[in-house]
Amino acid sequence: MGQNFDTKAVHLSRKNNQSIDSKVTPIYQTSAFKFSDLEDLENFYQGKKDYLYTRVGNPNTDELGSAVAQLEGAPKGVATSSGLSAILVGVLAVAKAGDHVLASTDIYGGTYQLLANELQDFNIEVSFVDFSNPGEIEKHLKSNTKLIYSESITNPLLRIEDMKAIVQLAKKNNLYTMIDNTFATPYLCQPYLDEVDLVVHSATKYLAGHSDVTAGVLVGHEELIDKAKAKVVNIGTNLSPFDAWLACRGIKTLSVRMERQVNNAQAVADALRKNDNVSKVYYPSSVSDKGNGAIVSIDITGSCNVEKFFQSLSWINIIPTLAGLETTVSYPLATSHRALPKEAQIELGITEGLIRVSVGIEDTEDIIKAFEEAIEKSKL
């Protein structure tokens, strides 16, 4: 090393001591990894060395993919830049130009836009079908169908998908299956153990859990994840090391957070079912012996002024996402499902009074009181 100040300033701050045994995985916040010589570089391409460039792979992103795969009971996983990018690389791992994807109508609006609009540029055809009647699904299969896609608990109307029926149909017709397990999380169900081929998460939500990460994870059969990982590398949908590190930290408390949030959600759903000004309460049952999820959707159409309701929620904020520690609300008609055609909104039940509640870890009575007061103040 040179001895002048400018050279020292660049090189002397770097510490590379492999003998330091940290309790927590360090953050490998680096764009690339160093090699001692050309033979060492060649070792990467021969599979004898793990890392070259962070878009291609990084210890933190690998840790996240592996952690979620283990929670889902799957052999392998890959982390991506968002839930939607995880869905995209999963689709592209099994479908190519000229193929057909069959998806449920009642899915997250962002996923609907991805499947309905963006996949057209890949010349991948997509059909949306009411999966609440499994008998209808088979009627819409085509000779070029490759994938059946749905959500374990649908967003925002919280229908529980019959994953075993979907898998049975897929196996009968030699198709792949993909399930978004974001709402349920592996804490409540593990679709891969029901023989679903690919399971996807918006790790932004419950896995990371603290509203400070945007990330996705795809897990499943090893050969499919290898194909998806190649898409991540070549399209550039990789996750940053720091976001991966934060998500891994969040996963450590997934069980304790979900237990509290699920119990709170059940109490909120039970209380609001008794409120005469709430026409519908959407909350699933029989998801798991651990509970039924931490999302409750309610419809106050015709009984309350929706704008006044949102204004009256005091400490509960309007947030266009879900799954943080705090109880929040969102308005699907104006956010997640605003891009759906009007007829699709009506058919699904995305009404002017539909509110999605992401239940947090606060005191149960305080949460219920906040909603009851907002409903009372906004009555027509």
Side-chain angles (χ1 to χ4, degrees):
M1 185 192 306
Q3 297 302 307
N4 291 320
F5 180 85
D6 291 352
T7 304
K8 291 180 180 180
V10 171
H11 291 275
L12 289 181
S13 62
R14 183 180 62 191
K15 185 173 182 64
N16 186 11
N17 190 339
Q18 299 298 327
S19 67
I20 298 175
D21 295 323
S22 172
K23 179 183 177 183
V24 177
T25 304
I27 304 170
Y28 291 87
Q29 194 66 39
T30 180
S31 61
F33 299 84
K34 68 175 186 175
F35 297 86
S36 58
D37 52 37
L38 293 182
E39 181 181 357
D40 193 29
L41 177 63
E42 184 63 23
N43 283 337
F44 171 81
Y45 293 98
Q46 298 301 323
K48 299 176 183 178
K49 194 159 184 172
D50 292 330
Y51 301 109
L52 171 84
Y53 184 60
T54 282
R55 176 169 56 81
V56 179
N58 180 283
N60 297 117
T61 55
D62 284 357
E63 182 180 44
L64 177 58
S66 176
V68 179
Q70 290 181 63
L71 291 177
E72 288 282 5
K76 199 167 187 178
V78 60
T80 72
S81 57
S82 68
L84 277 181
S85 67
I87 294 169
L88 175 61
V89 298
V91 171
L92 296 180
V94 299
K96 62 184 184 305
D99 287 340
H100 174 247
V101 174
L102 194 59
S104 176
T105 54
D106 55 341
I107 55 175
Y108 166 55
T111 305
Y112 179 92
Q113 291 184 69
L114 171 67
L115 299 181
N117 301 325
E118 301 306 324
L119 286 187
Q120 291 184 10
D121 292 340
F122 292 87
N123 196 27
I124 296 174
E125 181 187 3
V126 181
S127 299
F128 294 92
V129 179
D130 180 5
F131 277 24
S132 63
N133 182 356
E136 287 295 311
I137 304 175
E138 192 163 15
K139 295 179 182 178
H140 292 82
L141 295 179
K142 301 183 178 184
S143 59
N144 60 336
T145 303
K146 288 293 187 293
L147 174 68
I148 300 177
Y149 179 92
S150 190
E151 299 168 348
S152 54
I153 301 176
T154 63
N155 179 3
L157 299 177
L158 310 180
R159 179 179 62 86
I160 304 173
E161 189 57 86
D162 187 346
M163 290 182 285
K164 291 184 179 180
I166 289 177
V167 168
Q168 185 178 14
L169 176 63
K171 288 183 177 296
K172 175 183 173 182
N173 293 277
N174 196 30
L175 306 175
Y176 292 106
T177 50
M178 186 190 305
I179 292 290
D180 185 330
N181 200 33
T182 298
F183 273 26
T185 82
Y187 177 79
L188 294 180
C189 74
Q190 298 161 308
Y192 186 82
L193 298 183
D194 285 328
E195 301 186 77
V196 171
D197 297 303
L198 291 167
V199 181
V200 65
H201 286 269
S202 173
T204 309
K205 312 302 193 299
Y206 291 107
L207 294 182
H210 293 75
S211 305
D212 53 9
V213 171
T214 301
V217 179
L218 180 75
V219 306
H221 297 315
E222 189 166 357
E223 65 275 16
L224 294 181
I225 297 301
D226 286 343
K227 291 180 180 179
K229 175 67 181 293
K231 302 297 182 185
V232 171
V233 172
N234 295 328
I235 297 175
T237 60
N238 56 291
L239 180 64
S240 78
F242 185 49
D243 278 352
W245 184 87
L246 285 172
C248 287
R249 184 180 67 166
I251 286 173
K252 294 178 181 179
T253 60
L254 176 63
S255 291
V256 292
R257 288 185 283 106
M258 285 299 291
E259 180 179 15
R260 179 62 177 264
Q261 289 175 272
V262 164
N263 289 339
N264 277 350
Q266 183 69 63
V268 169
D270 291 344
L272 295 182
R273 283 193 183 103
K274 300 174 184 177
N275 193 304
D276 294 337
N277 296 293
V278 179
S279 58
K280 289 184 180 180
V281 174
Y282 297 93
Y283 188 68
S285 61
S286 304
V287 175
S288 164
D289 56 6
K290 294 180 179 179
N292 299 303
I295 301 293
V296 180
S297 292
I298 62 173
D299 197 331
I300 57 173
T301 303
S303 59
C304 297
N305 180 298
V306 176
E307 186 173 344
K308 180 67 173 175
F309 171 83
F310 281 114
Q311 291 172 348
S312 303
L313 279 170
S314 61
W315 55 270
I316 296 177
N317 293 314
I318 304 170
I319 303 291
T321 185
L322 57 106
L325 300 175
E326 310 87 355
T327 297
T328 61
V329 291
S330 72
Y331 190 44
L333 192 65
T335 55
S336 60
H337 290 71
R338 71 179 298 147
L340 266 67
K342 188 65 177 179
E343 58 272 18
Q345 293 173 344
I346 294 171
E347 185 177 349
L348 287 174
I350 311 296
T351 65
E352 292 184 0
L354 182 69
I355 297 149
R356 190 186 67 194
V357 181
S358 176
V359 182
I361 65 170
E362 303 95 344
D363 180 86
T364 312
E365 292 182 3
D366 287 339
I367 301 171
I368 294 171
K369 182 179 179 182
F371 281 104
E372 289 180 339
E373 288 180 347
I375 291 170
E376 184 65 26
K377 291 178 181 178
S378 61
K379 284 196 306 185
L380 294 174

Coordinates of all heavy atoms in Angstrom, one line a residue, residues 138-177:
E138 N -61.5 -25.7 -13.7 CA -61.1 -26.6 -14.7 C -61.7 -26.2 -16.1 O -61.1 -26.4 -17.1 CB -61.5 -28.0 -14.3 CG -60.9 -29.1 -15.2 CD -61.0 -30.5 -14.6 OE1 -61.7 -30.7 -13.7 OE2 -60.3 -31.4 -15.1
K139 N -62.9 -25.6 -16.0 CA -63.5 -25.1 -17.3 C -62.7 -24.1 -18.0 O -62.9 -24.0 -19.3 CB -64.9 -24.6 -17.0 CG -65.9 -25.6 -16.4 CD -67.2 -24.9 -16.1 CE -68.2 -25.8 -15.5 NZ -69.5 -25.2 -15.1
H140 N -61.8 -23.4 -17.3 CA -61.1 -22.3 -18.0 C -59.6 -22.7 -18.3 O -58.8 -21.9 -18.7 CB -61.1 -21.1 -17.1 CG -62.4 -20.4 -17.0 ND1 -63.4 -20.9 -16.1 CD2 -63.0 -19.4 -17.7 CE1 -64.5 -20.2 -16.2 NE2 -64.3 -19.2 -17.2
L141 N -59.3 -24.0 -18.1 CA -58.0 -24.4 -18.5 C -57.9 -24.5 -20.0 O -58.8 -24.8 -20.7 CB -57.7 -25.8 -17.9 CG -57.6 -25.9 -16.3 CD1 -57.4 -27.3 -15.9 CD2 -56.5 -25.0 -15.8
K142 N -56.7 -24.2 -20.5 CA -56.4 -24.2 -21.9 C -55.2 -25.2 -22.2 O -54.5 -25.6 -21.3 CB -56.1 -22.8 -22.4 CG -57.2 -21.8 -22.2 CD -56.8 -20.5 -22.8 CE -57.9 -19.5 -22.6 NZ -57.6 -18.2 -23.3
S143 N -55.0 -25.5 -23.5 CA -53.9 -26.4 -23.8 C -52.6 -25.8 -23.5 O -51.6 -26.5 -23.3 CB -54.0 -26.7 -25.3 OG -53.9 -25.5 -26.1
N144 N -52.5 -24.5 -23.4 CA -51.2 -23.8 -23.1 C -51.2 -23.3 -21.7 O -50.2 -22.5 -21.3 CB -51.0 -22.6 -24.1 CG -52.1 -21.5 -24.0 OD1 -53.2 -21.8 -23.6 ND2 -51.8 -20.3 -24.4
T145 N -52.1 -23.7 -20.8 CA -52.0 -23.3 -19.4 C -50.8 -23.9 -18.7 O -50.6 -25.1 -18.9 CB -53.3 -23.7 -18.7 OG1 -54.5 -23.1 -19.3 CG2 -53.3 -23.2 -17.2
K146 N -50.1 -23.1 -18.0 CA -48.9 -23.6 -17.3 C -49.0 -23.4 -15.8 O -48.3 -24.2 -15.0 CB -47.6 -22.9 -17.8 CG -47.2 -23.3 -19.2 CD -46.8 -24.8 -19.2 CE -46.2 -25.1 -20.6 NZ -47.2 -25.1 -21.7
L147 N -49.8 -22.5 -15.3 CA -49.7 -22.1 -13.9 C -51.1 -21.7 -13.4 O -51.9 -21.0 -14.1 CB -48.8 -20.9 -13.7 CG -48.7 -20.3 -12.3 CD1 -48.0 -21.2 -11.3 CD2 -47.9 -19.0 -12.4
I148 N -51.4 -22.2 -12.1 CA -52.6 -21.7 -11.4 C -52.1 -20.9 -10.2 O -51.3 -21.3 -9.4 CB -53.4 -22.9 -10.9 CG1 -53.9 -23.8 -12.1 CG2 -54.6 -22.4 -10.1 CD1 -54.6 -25.0 -11.7
Y149 N -52.6 -19.7 -10.1 CA -52.2 -18.7 -9.1 C -53.3 -18.2 -8.2 O -54.4 -17.9 -8.7 CB -51.5 -17.5 -9.8 CG -51.0 -16.5 -8.8 CD1 -49.7 -16.5 -8.4 CD2 -51.9 -15.5 -8.3 CE1 -49.2 -15.6 -7.5 CE2 -51.4 -14.6 -7.4 CZ -50.1 -14.6 -7.0 OH -49.7 -13.7 -6.0
S150 N -53.0 -18.2 -6.9 CA -54.0 -17.6 -6.0 C -53.3 -17.2 -4.7 O -52.1 -17.2 -4.6 CB -55.1 -18.6 -5.7 OG -56.2 -18.0 -4.9
E151 N -54.1 -16.9 -3.7 CA -53.6 -16.4 -2.4 C -54.2 -17.3 -1.3 O -55.4 -17.7 -1.4 CB -54.0 -15.0 -2.1 CG -53.3 -14.0 -3.1 CD -53.9 -12.6 -3.1 OE1 -54.9 -12.4 -2.4 OE2 -53.3 -11.7 -3.7
S152 N -53.4 -17.7 -0.3 CA -53.9 -18.5 0.8 C -55.1 -17.9 1.5 O -56.1 -18.6 1.8 CB -52.8 -18.9 1.8 OG -52.2 -17.8 2.3
I153 N -55.0 -16.6 1.8 CA -56.1 -15.8 2.3 C -56.1 -14.6 1.4 O -55.1 -13.8 1.3 CB -55.8 -15.3 3.8 CG1 -55.7 -16.5 4.7 CG2 -57.0 -14.4 4.2 CD1 -55.4 -16.2 6.1
T154 N -57.2 -14.4 0.7 CA -57.3 -13.4 -0.4 C -57.4 -12.0 0.2 O -57.9 -11.7 1.3 CB -58.4 -13.6 -1.3 OG1 -59.7 -13.5 -0.6 CG2 -58.3 -15.0 -1.9
N155 N -56.9 -11.0 -0.6 CA -56.8 -9.6 -0.2 C -57.8 -8.8 -1.1 O -57.6 -8.8 -2.3 CB -55.4 -9.1 -0.5 CG -55.1 -7.7 -0.1 OD1 -56.0 -7.0 0.3 ND2 -53.9 -7.2 -0.4
P156 N -58.7 -8.1 -0.5 CA -59.0 -7.8 0.9 C -60.2 -8.5 1.5 O -60.5 -8.2 2.6 CB -59.3 -6.3 0.8 CG -60.1 -6.1 -0.4 CD -59.5 -7.1 -1.4
L157 N -60.8 -9.4 0.8 CA -62.0 -10.0 1.3 C -61.8 -11.3 2.0 O -62.8 -11.9 2.5 CB -63.0 -10.2 0.1 CG -63.4 -8.9 -0.6 CD1 -64.2 -9.2 -1.9 CD2 -64.1 -8.0 0.3
L158 N -60.6 -11.8 2.2 CA -60.2 -12.8 3.2 C -60.9 -14.1 3.0 O -61.2 -14.8 3.9 CB -60.5 -12.2 4.6 CG -59.9 -10.8 4.9 CD1 -60.3 -10.4 6.3 CD2 -58.4 -10.8 4.6
R159 N -61.0 -14.5 1.7 CA -61.5 -15.9 1.4 C -60.3 -16.9 1.6 O -59.2 -16.6 1.2 CB -62.0 -16.0 0.0 CG -62.5 -17.4 -0.4 CD -63.0 -17.3 -1.9 NE -62.0 -17.0 -2.8 CZ -61.1 -17.9 -3.3 NH1 -61.1 -19.2 -3.0 NH2 -60.2 -17.5 -4.2
I160 N -60.6 -18.0 2.2 CA -59.6 -19.0 2.4 C -59.5 -19.9 1.1 O -60.6 -20.5 0.7 CB -59.8 -19.9 3.6 CG1 -60.0 -19.1 4.9 CG2 -58.7 -20.9 3.8 CD1 -60.4 -19.8 6.1
E161 N -58.4 -19.9 0.5 CA -58.3 -20.7 -0.7 C -58.2 -22.2 -0.4 O -57.6 -22.7 0.6 CB -57.0 -20.3 -1.5 CG -56.9 -21.0 -2.9 CD -58.1 -20.6 -3.7 OE1 -58.1 -19.6 -4.4 OE2 -59.0 -21.4 -3.8
D162 N -58.9 -23.0 -1.2 CA -58.9 -24.5 -1.1 C -57.6 -25.0 -1.9 O -57.7 -25.4 -3.0 CB -60.1 -25.1 -1.7 CG -60.3 -26.6 -1.4 OD1 -59.2 -27.2 -1.1 OD2 -61.4 -27.1 -1.6
M163 N -56.5 -24.9 -1.2 CA -55.2 -25.2 -1.9 C -55.1 -26.7 -2.3 O -54.6 -27.0 -3.3 CB -54.1 -24.8 -1.0 CG -53.9 -23.3 -0.8 SD -52.5 -22.8 0.2 CE -53.1 -23.2 1.8
K164 N -55.7 -27.6 -1.5 CA -55.6 -29.0 -1.8 C -56.4 -29.3 -3.1 O -56.0 -30.1 -3.9 CB -56.2 -29.8 -0.7 CG -55.3 -29.8 0.6 CD -55.8 -30.7 1.7 CE -54.9 -30.7 2.9 NZ -55.4 -31.5 4.0
A165 N -57.5 -28.6 -3.3 CA -58.3 -28.8 -4.5 C -57.5 -28.2 -5.7 O -57.5 -28.9 -6.8 CB -59.6 -28.1 -4.4
I166 N -56.8 -27.1 -5.5 CA -56.0 -26.5 -6.6 C -54.9 -27.5 -7.0 O -54.6 -27.7 -8.2 CB -55.5 -25.1 -6.2 CG1 -56.7 -24.1 -6.2 CG2 -54.4 -24.7 -7.2 CD1 -56.3 -22.7 -5.8
V167 N -54.2 -28.0 -6.0 CA -53.1 -28.9 -6.2 C -53.5 -30.1 -6.9 O -52.9 -30.6 -7.9 CB -52.4 -29.2 -4.9 CG1 -51.4 -30.4 -5.1 CG2 -51.6 -28.0 -4.4
Q168 N -54.7 -30.7 -6.5 CA -55.2 -31.9 -7.1 C -55.5 -31.6 -8.6 O -55.2 -32.5 -9.5 CB -56.5 -32.3 -6.4 CG -57.0 -33.7 -6.9 CD -58.3 -34.1 -6.1 OE1 -58.8 -33.3 -5.3 NE2 -58.7 -35.3 -6.3
L169 N -56.1 -30.5 -8.9 CA -56.4 -30.1 -10.3 C -55.2 -29.9 -11.1 O -55.1 -30.4 -12.2 CB -57.3 -28.9 -10.3 CG -57.6 -28.3 -11.7 CD1 -58.5 -29.3 -12.5 CD2 -58.3 -26.9 -11.5
A170 N -54.2 -29.3 -10.5 CA -52.9 -29.0 -11.2 C -52.2 -30.3 -11.5 O -51.7 -30.5 -12.6 CB -52.0 -28.1 -10.4
K171 N -52.1 -31.2 -10.6 CA -51.4 -32.5 -10.8 C -52.2 -33.3 -11.9 O -51.5 -33.9 -12.7 CB -51.4 -33.3 -9.5 CG -50.4 -32.7 -8.5 CD -50.3 -33.6 -7.2 CE -49.3 -33.1 -6.3 NZ -47.9 -33.1 -6.8
K172 N -53.5 -33.2 -11.9 CA -54.3 -34.0 -12.9 C -53.9 -33.5 -14.3 O -54.0 -34.2 -15.2 CB -55.7 -33.8 -12.6 CG -56.7 -34.4 -13.6 CD -58.1 -34.1 -13.2 CE -59.1 -34.5 -14.3 NZ -60.5 -34.1 -14.0
N173 N -53.6 -32.2 -14.4 CA -53.4 -31.5 -15.7 C -52.0 -31.2 -16.0 O -51.7 -30.4 -16.9 CB -54.3 -30.3 -15.8 CG -55.8 -30.7 -15.9 OD1 -56.3 -31.0 -17.0 ND2 -56.5 -30.6 -14.8
N174 N -51.1 -31.6 -15.1 CA -49.6 -31.4 -15.3 C -49.3 -29.9 -15.3 O -48.6 -29.4 -16.1 CB -49.1 -32.1 -16.5 CG -47.6 -32.2 -16.5 OD1 -47.0 -32.3 -15.5 ND2 -47.0 -32.2 -17.7
L175 N -49.8 -29.2 -14.3 CA -49.6 -27.8 -14.2 C -48.8 -27.4 -12.9 O -48.8 -28.2 -12.0 CB -51.0 -27.0 -14.2 CG -51.9 -27.3 -15.3 CD1 -53.3 -26.6 -15.0 CD2 -51.3 -26.9 -16.6
Y176 N -48.3 -26.2 -12.9 CA -47.6 -25.7 -11.7 C -48.6 -24.9 -10.9 O -49.6 -24.3 -11.4 CB -46.5 -24.8 -12.0 CG -45.3 -25.5 -12.7 CD1 -45.0 -25.4 -14.0 CD2 -44.5 -26.3 -11.9 CE1 -44.0 -26.1 -14.6 CE2 -43.4 -27.0 -12.5 CZ -43.1 -26.9 -13.8 OH -42.1 -27.6 -14.4
T177 N -48.4 -24.7 -9.6 CA -49.2 -23.9 -8.7 C -48.3 -22.9 -8.0 O -47.2 -23.2 -7.6 CB -49.9 -24.8 -7.7 OG1 -49.0 -25.7 -7.0 CG2 -51.0 -25.6 -8.3

